[in-house]
Amino acid sequence: MTQPVQPLCGFLNVLKPPGMSSAHVVSVVRRLLGGAKVGHAGTLDPEASGVLPLMVGKAARLFDYMQDKEKAYVTEVAFGVATDTQDAQGVPVATGENYPDETALLSALPAFTGTMMQTPPMYSALKQDGKRLYQLARDGKEADVPARQVTVYELALRGLTVHHGALLSVRCSKGFYVRTLCHDLGAFLGCPAHMRFLLRTQSGPFTLETAHTLEALREAADRGTLPDLLLPPEAALAHLPMTNVPQGLEKAVRNGGRLPWKCFAALHDTPAAEGTPFGLWMDGALCAIAQRQQALVKVRTWLAD
């Protein structure tokens, strides 16, 4: 008897090329996987390139549990011109020739390191009154965009580039706009600036070293080995405690029944804090994400078939 095909469930680390939207990458990979459910875990601007983690199948249910607070980039800031989009695709809105040298740049970077308030750009996918900010901007409308708290863990100058540019490496929290950093750095130094280039080298646990190009994915699909490139669901959950389903509770877990906390409390690797999510393993695979609620354990996200 032919064994049933198991639904795909996991993460695919894609190296997004410049000039392609994140949604387009999702569409290409969905087609290569034969129509499987695919979504991206953190978008990249169309002209940016680099790490774009994709969630395949039930792995999409893990988005809220992923440790995506930390991201890393390499960017080139171009001094002399500021644009309405804060990147090289926008319309110039200011020019200047007070180009900073290496000493000026090095002295300015500490002001953009640490926890700070940053105002997102108008040309962004954030929503206000149900509309994307970039849609409002294209319609010639203004919006009061509130600043929000972000963190830059590391910011370093990697060298000067041609045409009054500088290469920076950035390690930051989620929600941080690198093109806004480039714009604000120019304003701080008295020379209009914009972002010329952006490469994301890390998104949570996914890094540039393990990312696959679309060409490599197409070749794997032609060979029938594309599913082998998927990382298991737990690849994005290394920060969560994990434990096996206690003996005798397997049926209750599958049926969504009551799970007494006292059966878990004896397991040394289960978190004791109420409300802390943790992974449940059964039959050698991650089957669910659960949380303690007083005397019971509630399954919050089911992953098994």
Side-chain angles (χ1 to χ4, degrees):
M1 180 181 294
T2 304
Q3 294 293 323
V5 178
Q6 295 296 317
L8 297 175
C9 179
F11 294 91
L12 195 59
N13 187 10
V14 178
L15 179 60
K16 190 188 90 64
M20 178 181 284
S21 70
S22 299
H24 190 183
V25 174
V26 167
S27 177
V28 170
V29 172
R30 182 186 297 121
R31 185 168 61 251
L32 293 176
L33 288 172
K37 182 179 179 181
V38 181
H40 58 73
T43 187
L44 265 177
D45 288 343
E47 296 308 315
S49 59
V51 172
L52 181 66
L54 300 185
M55 307 171 292
V56 179
K58 291 182 179 178
R61 301 177 181 180
L62 298 173
F63 181 78
D64 291 338
Y65 303 105
M66 293 175 64
Q67 192 177 36
D68 63 343
K69 295 182 179 179
E70 187 172 308
K71 301 180 188 296
Y73 301 87
V74 172
T75 188
E76 184 182 15
V77 53
F79 292 97
V81 177
T83 71
D84 58 352
T85 60
Q86 301 182 347
D87 61 16
Q89 310 308 310
V91 176
V93 294
T95 60
E97 296 183 357
N98 185 31
Y99 306 118
D101 58 16
E102 184 174 344
T103 300
L105 280 166
L106 289 173
S107 65
L109 295 187
F112 295 89
T113 306
T115 299
M116 69 196 77
M117 301 301 291
Q118 185 189 59
T119 302
M122 271 299 295
Y123 281 87
S124 67
L126 296 177
K127 284 187 176 182
Q128 190 167 99
D129 297 327
K131 268 200 165 185
R132 303 286 186 186
L133 289 182
Y134 65 76
Q135 293 174 325
L136 295 174
R138 288 170 182 169
D139 293 339
K141 299 178 180 179
E142 292 291 332
D144 184 17
V145 185
R148 56 185 182 177
Q149 184 173 292
V150 293
T151 302
V152 175
Y153 305 107
E154 291 181 10
L155 178 59
L157 176 64
R158 300 181 64 159
L160 301 182
T161 60
V162 297
H163 307 302
H164 313 293
L167 203 61
L168 306 174
S169 59
V170 187
R171 191 167 62 84
C172 56
S173 64
K174 68 176 182 179
F176 183 80
Y177 283 88
V178 179
R179 51 195 165 105
T180 298
L181 165 68
C182 296
H183 174 274
D184 292 350
L185 183 61
F188 184 86
L189 289 167
C191 184
H194 67 274
M195 185 182 74
R196 184 182 286 160
F197 162 84
L198 182 66
L199 171 69
R200 184 157 70 187
T201 58
Q202 178 188 350
S203 179
F206 304 97
T207 64
L208 196 63
E209 290 75 19
T210 58
H212 304 282
T213 65
L214 289 178
E215 290 74 15
L217 296 182
R218 291 189 182 98
E219 292 173 2
D222 291 340
R223 295 192 302 268
T225 60
L226 181 52
D228 297 338
L229 299 182
L230 263 66
L231 299 169
E234 59 269 22
L237 304 174
H239 59 292
L240 291 185
M242 298 283 175
T243 191
N244 289 309
V245 174
Q247 190 172 3
L249 288 184
E250 292 87 354
K251 185 175 180 180
V253 169
R254 290 187 182 280
N255 294 336
R258 295 166 61 88
L259 307 175
W261 168 250
K262 63 181 180 181
C263 295
F264 288 83
L267 303 176
H268 66 85
D269 52 357
T270 304
E274 185 171 349
T276 300
F278 59 94
L280 284 180
W281 284 69
M282 187 166 58
D283 299 329
L286 183 66
C287 68
I289 305 296
Q291 282 181 313
R292 176 190 173 189
Q293 285 192 343
Q294 297 182 349
L296 296 177
V297 169
K298 299 283 189 179
V299 171
R300 290 303 183 195
T301 303
W302 183 250
L303 298 172
D305 300 325

